[in-house]
Amino acid sequence: MKKIFYLALAASLTLSSVSTTFAKGVSVPNSTNKTISQPNKINTKSETLITSKAIKTKANGIEVDIKIPVINGLKDKKVQDKINVDLEKASMEYKSTVESEAEFAKKEGYFNNNFSIHSDYKIHYNKGNLLSITISSYIYTGGAHGMTYVTNFNIDTKSGENVSLKDFFSPNENYVDIINKAVRDKIASTPNYYFEDIVQRFKGILPDQPFYIENDNVVVYFGLYELAPYAAGIQEFKVPFKSFKNGVKTDLNFRKDAIKVSSKVVDELELGYRGNLRIPVIKGLKDEKMQTAINSKFEKEALEFNNKLKKDGMDYAKECEKLKIEQRDFFGDTDYYVYQNHNNILSITVLYEQYTGGAHGSYNKTPYNIDLKTGKEITIKDVFKPGVNYKDIINKEINKQIDVINKKADTIQIQGFTGISENQDFYINNGNIVVYFQPYAIAPYCMGIQEFTISLDNFKTMVKPEFLVK
C-alpha cells in the first residue's frame, strides 16, 4: 500500500521558527577564505544599529557564503551579546549540515565537489524596541535543486527575547481567526497556486507560526509543501494592522515565558485515513528528564489517538473493497493552545477531532496543567488552599453563569449540570480558571464545549498565591 508520511518539527530552533522555501536565481560568487565585518545599509530612522559579518570560504568542494547580522549600540551589553549569539547561531545553523552531508556523500561515492551554503538576512522592522529579521539559508547537497530555510526573529531589544505572535495583541483580540481568514481568502482568490484540497486541509496557523512585521503588516508565511507545490515556493500572507480591532503592539512590554513551546507536525495519508497532528513540544526546562517525560506524554497520547483511527479507517477501506461499496476516509486531527506559560505553570489544552461517518464528527479537549517545578499535574483542588470547599465555590459560580446563559437562550438550554467532579476538566489562564464540559456533558452537541471562566481574584484569600495575577 502506498504510504505518504510527512514529519516536520516547526520551530526547531529554541528562539525561532523555521520553514522551507524555493530559492530563485541564487548566484554563486567567487570567494576566498576570509571573514569580513561591514556596515549594513538600513533605514536611518531605525534605532538599532546593525552591521554585517561576512564569512566566505571555498575549500574541499564546499562553498560557504554567509552574512551574519550583528547588533551594535544597545545600552545593555548582555542583552546585545545574547541577541548576537542567537543570530549567529541561526545564520551558521546549516553550515554544519552541508559539511556533514558532504562527508557522507564522500563515503558513499556521490560527492560532486559542488556543495554550498549561502545565507543572508533581511531587516523588516527596526523601530523602538522591536527588531524583526528573517535569515534565509540556501543549501545545495546534490540533486536537481537546493533548499532554503527561513528563520524568523522578532526581538524585544530591551530584553533580548524573541517574542511570539500572541505578544503583539491584547488579550481580547481574536487575532488567530483574523489571520486565518486572511489566509483562506487569499487561497480562494488564487486557487491555482495551491494544492487542490488545501482549503479543506488548512486548519489554521500554528501557535508558533513563523511571521515578521513589515510596513504596518503582520506577515505570516508557510514553507515548502505546506500549502502549495515546490515550485510555488514560500507562501506569504500580509495582514494589515488595521485588520485587528485593537491594533498591533510594536512597543513591546511582555511577560517572559517560562519555557518555549513549539510544534511537531505529523501528516498522514493512507487508503482509508487522513491525519494531521499538531503536537506541543516544550524546550528550555533545566530538568531535562522532566522535559522529556512531559513531551513523551504529549506525543504518546496524540499518536495513540492517531494510530487507532488509522487502523479503523484502513480496516474499513479494506472491507468496503471486499463488499464493492463506496469507501470514505476517516479523519483525525489534533491541535493545541497555550493559555499560561509563566509562574512555573504551563496550561495547555489539546483538541482531538475525528470523523468516521455520520451527520458530524466528534471532538474533545484534553487539559494539561503542569507544575514546571515538579512536572506533576495540577488538579483543580491544588489551586485552592487546604480546607477550602472549592467545589461549592465553583459550583455556585457556574450555576450563576448558567442562569444568565439560559435567560438569553431562545430554545436550547444548559440543563445537565449537577456539579464538578474530582477530575474536572479545566485550564488556567492568567488569574482565572476556566472550567469546561465536553460536548453532550451538560448541553446538546450543537452548543459545543461549555466553558465557565472564574476569576480567582474574587477568592484571593482562599487561593494559593502562585495562581493569582502578580
Side-chain angles (χ1 to χ4, degrees), residues 433-463:
I433 56 170
V434 182
V435 176
Y436 68 89
F437 299 85
Q438 308 291 352
Y440 292 122
I442 62 171
Y445 178 88
C446 62
M447 293 185 72
I449 293 174
Q450 295 298 305
E451 297 193 341
F452 303 92
T453 300
I454 299 170
S455 173
L456 297 176
D457 195 53
N458 294 334
F459 311 98
K460 59 175 59 177
T461 60
M462 294 176 272
V463 172

Side-chain angles (χ1 to χ4, degrees), residues 19-24 26 118 135-139 146-150 224 230:
S19 73
T20 57
T21 182
F22 175 56
K24 300 179 180 178
V26 177
H118 298 265
I135 296 173
S136 299
S137 300
Y138 175 87
I139 68 173
M147 297 290 290
T148 299
Y149 299 86
V150 180
L224 194 63
Y230 178 88

Side-chain angles (χ1 to χ4, degrees), residues 27 245 345 430:
S27 60
K245 180 180 178 181
I345 296 169
N430 301 307

Side-chain angles (χ1 to χ4, degrees), residues 156 159 161-164 166-167 252-257:
D156 173 11
S159 67
E161 294 297 321
N162 193 31
V163 298
S164 303
K166 64 179 174 58
D167 297 314
L252 298 174
N253 183 17
F254 75 105
R255 192 199 320 257
K256 183 180 177 181
D257 289 342

Side-chain angles (χ1 to χ4, degrees), residues 416-445:
F417 178 68
T418 58
I420 64 169
S421 63
E422 291 288 339
N423 59 345
Q424 179 64 48
D425 290 332
F426 79 104
Y427 58 85
I428 302 163
N429 190 3
N430 301 307
N432 303 297
I433 56 170
V434 182
V435 176
Y436 68 89
F437 299 85
Q438 308 291 352
Y440 292 122
I442 62 171
Y445 178 88

Side-chain angles (χ1 to χ4, degrees), residues 377-382 389-391 394-395 419-426 437:
E377 179 186 359
I378 299 169
T379 66
I380 203 163
K381 181 180 180 180
D382 295 329
N389 190 349
Y390 67 95
K391 286 186 179 180
I394 294 171
N395 289 339
I420 64 169
S421 63
E422 291 288 339
N423 59 345
Q424 179 64 48
D425 290 332
F426 79 104
F437 299 85

Side-chain angles (χ1 to χ4, degrees), residues 248-297:
V248 178
K249 300 183 293 183
T250 55
D251 184 14
L252 298 174
N253 183 17
F254 75 105
R255 192 199 320 257
K256 183 180 177 181
D257 289 342
I259 54 174
K260 295 295 177 182
V261 183
S262 58
S263 304
K264 183 174 185 177
V265 180
V266 179
D267 281 331
E268 286 204 272
L269 175 60
E270 294 275 9
L271 178 61
Y273 179 70
R274 293 189 180 196
N276 177 259
L277 311 180
R278 293 178 174 181
I279 305 169
V281 179
I282 68 169
K283 299 179 180 180
L285 270 184
K286 291 181 180 179
D287 189 331
E288 293 186 1
K289 186 177 180 181
M290 183 195 301
Q291 179 171 288
T292 299
I294 293 170
N295 286 333
S296 295
K297 181 177 176 65

Side-chain angles (χ1 to χ4, degrees), residues 103-119:
E103 287 300 316
F104 181 79
K106 289 174 183 177
K107 290 178 182 178
E108 296 298 314
Y110 65 84
F111 186 64
N112 62 5
N113 289 310
N114 194 28
F115 282 25
S116 62
I117 165 72
H118 298 265
S119 182

